[in-house]
Structures are given as C-alpha cells and as structure tokens.
Amino acid sequence: MSTNNLSYNDQGGSDSAVEVGQETTPTSSNAGAGFGLFSTNFKKNDDLKEMLESNKDSLKLDAMKRIILIATGKNASELFPAVVKNVASKNIELKKLVYVYLVRYAEEQQDLALLSISTFQRALKDPNQLIRASALRVLSSIRVPIIVPIMMLAIKEAASDMSPYVRKTSAHAIQKLYSLDPDQKEHLIEVIDKLLKDKSTLVAGSVVMAFEEVCPDRIDLIHKNYRKLCNLLVDVEEWGQVVIITMLTRYARTQFTSPWKEDGLFDENSETAFYESDEKKTKNGDEKKSYMMDPDHRLLLRNTKPLLQSRNTAVVVSVAQLYWHLAPKHEVGVITKSLVRLLRSHREVQYVVLQNIATMSIQRKGMFEPYMKSFYVRSTDATHIKSLKLEILTSLANEANISTILREFQTYVKSQDKQFAAGTIQAIGRCATNISEVTDTCLQGLVLLLSNRDETVVAESVVVIKKLLQTQPTQHSDIIKHMAKLFDNIAVPMARASILWLMGEYCERVPQIAPDVLRKMAKSFTSEEDIVKLQTVNLAAKLYLTNSKQTKLLTQYILNLGKYDQNYDIRDRTRFIRQLIVPNEKSGALGKYARRILLAPKPAPVLESTYKDRDRYQLGTLSHTINTKASGYLELSDWPAVAPDQSVRNVEVIEPVMIHLYFYYPEAESDEEKSSSQSSEESDKSSSQSEKSSSESDSEQKKTTKKPPQKKTVKPTAKDRYYNELFNTKCLSRSLFSLCILTPCPLSCAAALLQVSGPAFVPEKRHDLLHRMTGKGLSAQYQFPRQPCLYQPTMVSVQISLTNTTDHPLEQIHIGDRGPTGLDMHCFNTVDSSIRLPDGAATKEDQFSVSIQPAVGELFLPATMTEQDFRKEQGKLLGMNESSATITMAAENTTRQPISRQVATVANLGVVPSGQDNIHRFAGKTASSGAVVLVTVELRESSAALITINTEKSVMGPMLLRDLKRALTRA
C-alpha cells in the first residue's frame, strides 16, 4: 500500500494551478497580453529572471505560475537557465511547476538539462509519488543518446514502484526511449511484459499503448493477460479503453475463428449439442456444423458492450468497430443506436461517425434504415457533413423508401450550397442505377434540371445523364436531342464535353443533329477549354467515319486547328487522329482498324459509393478517415481457418492463505483523565509493553527469529490527524504496523487460522494491503469479517489474505514492530516453512510498511434494545452529539428491507423494532469502549429521508453520516 497518496497541496504550499500528472504546458487565453510576456522586447523578461533567482520561494513560485499559465503559445525557452536552477528546490509546489516547464523545453535545451541529471536521479527516490513520476517524465524528455542507460534503469525501477501512478509514467517513458534508441527494444519488451501483468486500471491503458508502439507483433505477451484486460476494461480511464479495445480487436482476429460462416449454423449455447447431434441437416440433406463461439471471444464482446453508453465518443466508436469486425452478423445491430446518438455531437465528431456509418451502410443497409430520418440534412450542417449524410441516404435507398428519399433530394437540389446540390444530382444518378423501377423517373427529373438557371446544376445533370444513357442508349435518343438543343446555353466545360461525347458515341442515332453541333464547335474551337477541344476532335473523327460526306471538310478544318494548338495534348491527339482516319501513303496497317478503335462498344459506367472499398481499413482509424494507409497503421489479419490453442490464455490461480489479525483502537479520554494521566504516561507505556509480551508468549508469537529494524516515524499528515481524532491514538503515523518477511518466497499452508463466531452480515469487499511488486512476490489483502474477537471483546477483527505470486517459498512471515503508541494488536503466529532456497544462499530480511484504514462502521458491534430505550438514550445525546442530514433516496431504497440492508452494509448495527412504517432505527456500540451509536432514518414525501445519528463520540457521527448518505442515495 502506498504511503505517499497525498497531493501536493497536502504537503504545503498555496493552491496549485497545474493538475497532477499534467504533461503539456497549460494555456490561458487573453492573459499573456496583460503582463506583456515574451514580446519582441526581451528586456521585459528580466523581472521574471530576477524573481527566479531571488531567495524567496514565494517570488519564484509567482514567476513560475506566470511563465506556465500566462505564456499562451509563446516560446519561453530563453528562461530555461533561470528555471533549471530551481530544479532542486525543497518547495514541493515550486518543484512541480519547474518539472512541468522542463518537460516542455528539455528537448530544446539538452545541454542545460543534462546538468540536472543527478537531481532527477535523486528525485526518482523521493517519498512523494508525484515527484518521482515528474522526475521520470523530465528524464525521458531529454532526448540525448548518452543518457539512454540512465533512462533504461529509471524505467525498470519505476515499473516496480509501489505507486500505480509512477508505473503508469514508466509506461509512457517506454515509448519515448524506444523512439530515441530502438536498439533497446528487447529490454523494453521485458518491462512491458512486467507491466502487462499489473492489476491496476491506471496502468493498463498506458502499457498497452507502449505495447502497440514497441512490439505490436508480440501477441504472445497478451495471452496470459487477455482475460484480465477484458475484465478491467470497464474501469480503465477512457483513452486507455480506446487503446485496449483497438489492440484486442487485432488480437481476436488472430486467435478466434470467424463467426460469419455462411455454411454453418450459429449455436452459441451448447445445450442443444448436449441432447442432440453436433451436426444438423439442411433441407437438401447436407450436413452443417454448428458454430460454437470461443468463451474468450464471447468475454470480449460481453465486456465491451456496456461501453457503448460511454460519454467519450472515441470509446463508443472503438466498441462499434470491434463489433463490426468481430461480432456475429446478427449481433452487430446493437451498435446502431449508440452511433446515431453521437450525431448530436460537434461537427468534428459527426464527421468521423458518419464516415464509419457510410462504410457500414453499404454492406448492411438494414442496420440504419430505421434511423433514416437522423441522416436528413439540416440547413445548419457544414458541406462535408451534408455530403456524408447524402452518401448514407443513397446507400439506404431501396424500393420501399425511394420515393421518400427522392422527395428529400428534390429539396436538396435547390440548396444554395452548389457543391452539395451537385452531390445530390450524383446521388439521384446512383439511385437510378441501383433501383431500376425509378430509372425513368430520375432521368426525367434530371432532364428538367437542364433548364435550371444555375450552370453548376446543369453541368452536373449533363454528366449524370451521360452515364445513365450509356445503360440504355437506344431508348433515350430524344434526351440526346434535347441536350443538343441546350448546348449553346451551357457554359461549363465538363458539361459541354459530356454532350460532345454523347453526340460522338451515338452519332448514328442522331445523324442530322451531330454534324450541326460539329459545325458550331468549328467556329468556337479556338476559344474553348482543352477538355472541350479534345472531345471536339473525337466527335470530328467519329463523324468522319460514319458520315464523311457531310463532315469531311469540317473534320479537316478542325484537325488543322488542333495541329497548331498551344496545348501539346491536343496537338498529339490531332496528329494521331489524322494518321488513323485519313488514309495516305504514310498510314500504316492501323488505319484499317480505325472504326473498330474509335467506335468500339464501351461498358456502361457503374455508379458506386466512394466508401465502397474503405472497409479494407479498420473502422475508426486515421487510415479509414483519410482513405489511405497512415504511418503506424496495423492491418487486421484474416480469421484463422483453425483457432489456435486456447489454453495459452489460462492463468494459474493461486489460492490465498487466510489468516486473522486482531488490533485495538482505544477510545478518547476526557480532559480530566488526560491531565491526571499525563504524569504516569511512561509507566502506562511500560505496563502496556509487558502485557503485550505476555500475550505474545501465550500465543507463541516468539517464533520470529530476528527483531526487525526500528520503524521510521513519518510526520503525520492531514489524513493521519483525521484518524488520530477518530481513534485517539497519540502519534498515529501513515503506517499502522510493519509486516516483516524473508525472501525468496511461496507460503507454506501452516498458518494459524483462528475461528470466531460469524456476524449477521459480512462485507465481501477486500482492500489491498501489500502489492505483490512492493512485497517482492508477497501480496496481501484485508477485510473486516465482523466476528467477535476471541482474545478481548474490545478488539476488532481483521482478516488478512496472504498470496504468494512467485515460484519460491516464503519463510517466517510475521508482524514486526508494534507501530504507533496507543495501538494494541494481537498478531497471528509466524508463518514458517523450511524449504531450501533455490540458490542455496542465506536469506535476506525485508520489512514493508502497510496501512489499514477501517471505515467507521467497522468499529461497531450490533446492539438490541426496545423502542422506548432507544428514545431514552437518544434524548441524552443531543446537541454536539447529534448529526443529521436530509437526502433524496434512490427509488429502490425506499422500503424497509433495502434500508436495513444498506445500513447493515455500511455499519455493523442492529435493528431496533419500530411501531412506525416511515421510521427505521438502528443501534450499536463501539467495540473498544461500548459508546452508544444510534441511527434513525425517517422517510418523508417524494423519496426524501432524514438521517439522524446520535453517538457519545461526536467525531464518529459526521463520518458515519457521510457513508450512509452515499449508500442510500446510490442508484
């Protein structure tokens, strides 16, 4: 258990302006101008330098706050020499701000930063976890190859730190060191493997990110941690969830078989297979094997599904892509509603979400069809959002809803956004191609648009009509004639070129109109755009081959104009056409094939979505967004034909050894007792020590071989003083007792298990006491069984669970020093085993400080009394002995049974019979002194409740009231 779980503010200093763990320089808009920092006049920064070089921490602190918080977007590197001098400051808050600054500028000022390496190394041993983490962050930001060994050593030590925050920082440092020196990869993989086994949710996301950066191909590192990551996922911070889900998606595609098998029956449950054959027959008599999903595959899907309700958009999109790539087809629909919900977010979020929906809707229209109205375009939408919604609506179109969609498109065509209007015309063309029932209707509508005043709409209509006519050219010659009549009024080059192409391609169907169009083009050839000139040359060549009598001279004229055009593409095309269609002595054998070359039948264009092939990239990734492979993108592998051995994910579970530890919290003395006992305090202490020695002798506690070193007293913090008031211990430190072990390690099962009578309600929750990394293989958890103590009725029992996580036996595990004055404990006997050490060397004694902090409700014993006695005792405990609050209760907690259950969970109290349905009473006493504790819960209207607590120990009332309010208002 960490002994440094205090923020900087707990250790002195004014209010901190920078959050814990902040890695980037904070900004504050409109503040820089007020102080004139970092302007072109560099003399204005002299006052900051003087403040940083002063002897007063208050001035230095003020200067650092101004530098970090006010310099918005400015370069403060010139102050680096003055700032770095304060890196060894003893002021915690000042040191913190200096570290934040150094993280930002250490890479730019490497030479000066190197001078402080020794300071950072000392800070890595600082008792404060935040200082250790900040020092490691700065050290890893100095990108100088010469300090790589120092960084490597610091990362390895931080990976074993007792603080999960420091271990998280070491995971971040892994990526920085790898980018600086890739040759350290193997050593870093060892650290990653170690951190992947960490059970802290704070570390999980960071170490998986390091895994993805350093060794994403080492799937074998994930096997043993797969189930743990799945189970921890819901408690990991949001961006860690994104990283883990993305990694597990790739992992699952390599370890499980495809759930999309079309030739098999999907049977996730095994009940049917138990009673019937594993194989079923189809109507044709063919046998189909039922698909059985791997339990680990199901575990991943089940544990990620609740995250669809996350407030973080990236988490929802990550879960959606996981289901899209991993889930059976009939289960993918669960992501639909969550994705549609995200469309209420900012336009940047809408853009990414709509891109993913556009890809999905191509393959599975049925998923989003019920939410079609959510994709209707709003007038306030940006153009890129409108285009994506238009894309999705086009993909969702079918025979049933096409009429509704076309009516919507008619409105969009009138939009003032020309790009969007043009996109709508293309969408109409796609609908006409995909749904044959509306092809004629769409064509007629597009022809009407040819008379539109907006030339952009007309041009796009011509292009789309051209593509549609290629599918049925024989049936639409009237449309071609109509377009020829409108040719003079169309100015957009692409539209004019499209009409010319249609005239040339189907010139035999309009023999009277095509030559006239060519005549008009001969007059305006020199003033046309290049794309129009090219199509004019093509039209002339095709008419020369099909109607040379009318167009021979026109063709020669146009070819002569093109021969001397400024554009070399037009000159080359003209010379090629002349040699191909006009026979002469220089013409080769190619001339006889001119008709087959120029008038060859051409396949009709297929109007497809631009998102058709984007599913080749993993959804939710940058590569999918930009439709090209981005740097660092990791491909999703194909499903394996046969699933790899699933036993690689099995983890051996080590059963803990259950041991009871008993300790005592004495009650407060009155002021008279304190004054009278002050003179005899030393004799009381010696008497107490003799009693402890006698108790240890009776319980064979002298089996410990060597007395541990004297425990170092830590200065009490605000939290310690709070518990001092609660338990009235005279000098309570952060460590309530010491646990001494001998390494190397496993436990023997010869621990003394003390049986006590069972309580009416036992909390199942356990608390971490000693982490396995801190304990060098020994981990410990504690819980309060609420059992009466066998040794003294005034003691509270604590159940300790010791677990060995190494491959070696532990020896002589025992409680060491007695801890702070005023705390009495009855300890368990020494856990001993005589197993030879692996290396045959002598053992080394270690001592670890741990902390037990019980909830106030664990210090009570239940009591029974009549309602009359309850009221009588309550009348004696008014004023300062009473604490009360009115709360709004959760709906499920407004009846007698839930209230009794919640109160019993929070505090070990007994139920007092009540003659009123709206009043519930509970009573108990403190275990050490028998001080009365009374609780009343009075139900009122609208789920309101008044909680009243009366107790002889006034400090316990507010604490118990806080816990009860939290329990009864929890939904």
Side-chain angles (χ1 to χ4, degrees), residues 357-358 361-362 365 372 375-377 386-399 401-402 404-406 408-409 412 420 422-435 438 442 607-611:
I357 293 177
S361 61
I362 294 174
K365 298 181 180 180
M372 189 173 66
F375 306 108
Y376 285 176
V377 174
K386 294 178 181 177
S387 301
L388 281 169
K389 288 185 174 181
L390 190 65
E391 181 74 31
I392 296 171
L393 285 174
T394 307
S395 298
L396 296 180
N398 55 35
E399 293 83 355
N401 59 27
I402 185 61
T404 304
I405 291 178
L406 286 179
E408 192 75 12
F409 285 175
Y412 299 165
F420 173 57
T424 303
I425 295 173
Q426 295 177 11
I428 294 174
R430 278 181 55 195
C431 291
T433 303
N434 299 333
I435 306 172
V438 296
C442 292
L607 300 179
E608 295 180 337
S609 169
T610 55
Y611 287 82

Side-chain angles (χ1 to χ4, degrees), residues 126-144:
D126 194 276
N128 191 304
Q129 58 171 343
L130 303 177
I131 295 296
R132 299 199 300 273
S134 298
L136 179 60
R137 192 179 298 114
V138 176
L139 191 62
S140 59
S141 300
I142 305 175
R143 303 185 61 79
V144 179

